[in-house]
Amino acid sequence: MINNNHFCVIMAGGVGTRFWPLSTHKVPKQFIDVLGVGRTFIQMTYDRFRRICLPENFIVVTGAPYKDLVLEQLPELQDHQVLLEPHRKNTAPCIAYANHHIAAKNENATIVVTPADHLIMKEDEFERVIKHGFEFVEEYDALLTIGLEPTRPETGYGYIQKGVQVTDEINEVKTFTEKPNKELAKVFCDSHEFLWNSGMFLWSLKTINRSFELHLPHLNNLFAKGKDIFMSTKEQDFINSIYADCQNISIDYGIMEKAHNVYVHTADFGWSDLGTWGSLYANSCQDNKNNSIVGKNVKLYESSGCIVHIPDDHIAVVQGLKDYIVVQKENRLLVCKRDEEQKIRQFVNDLMLDDSAIDFI
């Protein structure tokens, strides 16, 4: 039986520039079937947590332009469950907004916070870990994050150093480290003391609100002014009036790296933060030439190590490429070296300076 106090907050406000041209400002990657499996990232995230939380206890925090996309893709949700940020202000304001909205409905809530665009391969193990995490934060005054056993010296993820062991799977957090260089990432992996930071959190509403009061008082006070407004018709106007004054700060910097009641749950459920074409390539099926292909009508000749993503109703023939990204979406086409995909963000920025190209991004 699902606990009525369990809430899920899905953070879905990113624009997914690194997945251009599939992801655009109009339809970011969380609303796209990037994997070619018939479900978008946000739908897969909802499906995953639907096993743990009731439909009425989901909150999606996103940008105002994406409200209709959320409701279209998650038809079980009601309008009031989609919280609209007027400005992108990083994860701390996003979470503070969700906390105060939830408090107006259930002051005894326990909450799991998740990005909308992660890949989880082992669904049953994931469910077990999240349920265990809920049990922990219901018993202890704890801010709990999920850490994944590293399988390689990845430089694209943050790391969490484990401290004192509390249970078989939960430790105090000793340190957080942002994305390291290759040498330091190797040291982390070899030490077996560090975990990948998944960006998923669990806590009770009371604990996280006390943490905001202590570590981000200005931000907390802004939202606290609307205590009697949340869950009313005046909520959006109130949010629009205060958001410009919110700090642009992550929950990691604002609270997790300052608080003394931070814990990490070690997990291994086939997780990946699919933030780049490279990470998608690493987690996708490949043919005998190490090509990853999405699209029913794609023919590759004398090509290897490529990721090719073409709509099913288009035909693509690729010859003589090695380690390239080839992606088509409507009237947009990208051909880029896999090891230089970090330039995609610059490509998009350049297009934004070109008035004739602005509709394509």
Side-chain angles (χ1 to χ4, degrees):
M1 187 173 179
I2 296 178
N3 189 322
N4 191 52
N5 290 330
H6 290 176
F7 281 72
C8 177
V9 174
I10 300 175
M11 300 183 292
V15 295
T17 302
R18 290 176 295 176
F19 262 112
W20 189 88
L22 204 62
S23 174
T24 67
H25 283 75
K26 291 181 179 178
V27 185
K29 70 168 181 175
Q30 59 268 31
F31 303 111
I32 297 172
D33 178 14
V34 176
L35 298 171
V37 296
R39 297 289 278 174
T40 66
F41 277 136
I42 195 170
Q43 288 174 322
M44 290 190 291
T45 301
Y46 176 79
D47 294 346
R48 196 176 302 133
F49 284 97
R50 179 62 185 85
R51 301 163 69 172
I52 304 167
C53 300
L54 296 169
E56 58 267 30
N57 285 358
F58 278 81
I59 298 293
V60 176
V61 187
T62 189
Y66 308 131
K67 178 180 179 180
D68 290 343
L69 277 172
V70 173
L71 293 172
E72 176 187 329
Q73 295 194 6
L74 303 179
E76 286 192 90
L77 302 193
Q78 304 296 314
D79 280 25
H80 66 83
Q81 293 175 260
V82 184
L83 308 187
L84 306 178
E85 295 183 291
H87 313 285
R88 295 181 64 219
K89 289 282 189 171
N90 217 316
T91 52
C94 165
I95 289 169
Y97 181 9
N99 291 343
H100 285 268
H101 181 91
I102 291 170
K105 181 178 180 180
N106 186 337
E107 293 184 345
N108 297 314
T110 48
I111 303 167
V112 58
V113 179
T114 180
D117 52 6
H118 287 181
L119 175 68
I120 306 295
M121 302 297 291
K122 304 173 185 176
E123 299 277 354
D124 290 342
E125 176 62 9
F126 175 82
E127 181 180 352
R128 185 195 68 81
V129 168
I130 299 301
K131 286 181 175 178
H132 186 232
F134 268 127
E135 292 171 1
F136 184 78
V137 299
E138 285 164 352
E139 183 175 354
Y140 298 98
D141 178 31
L143 304 172
L144 182 66
T145 187
I146 305 297
L148 289 307
E149 293 279 7
T151 58
R152 60 186 184 277
E154 174 62 55
T155 60
Y157 299 154
Y159 285 74
I160 301 168
Q161 185 178 19
K162 294 184 287 186
V164 175
Q165 187 169 4
V166 179
T167 73
D168 288 346
E169 298 178 290
I170 296 176
N171 294 66
E172 294 179 0
V173 170
K174 190 172 183 180
T175 60
F176 287 92
T177 302
E178 288 302 305
K179 300 171 184 178
N181 59 33
K182 196 74 172 179
E183 293 74 20
L184 189 55
K186 189 175 188 308
V187 171
F188 287 170
C189 281
D190 292 343
S191 73
H192 302 292
E193 294 181 18
F194 289 81
L195 303 168
W196 285 338
N197 187 348
S198 72
M200 286 184 277
F201 310 99
L202 294 102
W203 39 54
S204 71
L205 180 62
K206 293 182 176 66
T207 296
I208 188 60
N209 279 346
R210 280 197 297 269
S211 299
F212 270 97
E213 291 170 4
L214 181 62
H215 301 294
L216 290 173
H218 173 71
L219 186 62
N220 182 72
N221 290 339
L222 282 175
F223 286 95
K225 292 176 184 177
K227 181 179 180 182
D228 298 325
I229 296 174
F230 288 97
M231 290 289 290
S232 78
T233 56
K234 298 179 181 179
E235 178 176 319
Q236 191 63 59
D237 287 340
F238 169 72
I239 291 298
N240 292 345
S241 71
I242 68 166
Y243 236 72
D245 294 327
C246 290
Q247 296 160 265
N248 189 334
I249 189 169
S250 71
I251 195 72
D252 301 81
Y253 281 127
I255 290 180
M256 302 300 283
E257 294 184 13
K258 298 176 183 177
H260 299 293
N261 56 335
V262 181
Y263 300 82
V264 61
H265 192 306
T266 301
D268 178 13
F269 41 64
W271 171 89
S272 177
D273 171 13
L274 291 180
T276 64
W277 286 111
S279 61
L280 178 62
Y281 174 83
N283 287 279
S284 60
C285 297
Q286 298 164 17
D287 64 16
N288 58 3
K289 296 290 187 180
N290 298 321
N291 296 306
S292 172
I293 302 170
V294 173
K296 293 181 178 179
N297 301 298
V298 177
K299 298 292 184 184
L300 268 62
Y301 300 90
E302 301 156 31
S303 297
S304 62
C306 294
I307 179 166
V308 181
H309 200 296
I310 304 292
D312 286 342
D313 59 351
H314 285 61
I315 295 173
V317 177
V318 178
Q319 186 265 339
L321 292 186
K322 181 179 180 182
D323 299 334
Y324 265 77
I325 301 166
V326 181
V327 184
Q328 183 201 353
K329 175 70 173 180
E330 296 172 349
N331 52 5
R332 301 178 296 273
L333 173 66
L334 171 72
V335 181
C336 172
K337 293 180 180 178
R338 266 181 49 213
D339 62 0
E340 294 186 15
E341 71 166 326
Q342 72 277 4
K343 293 182 179 180
I344 293 175
R345 181 168 286 172
Q346 184 59 51
F347 300 158
V348 173
N349 289 338
D350 291 345
L351 287 170
M352 291 179 71
L353 299 176
D354 183 350
D355 289 341
S356 65
I358 198 72
D359 290 337
F360 304 143
I361 56 176

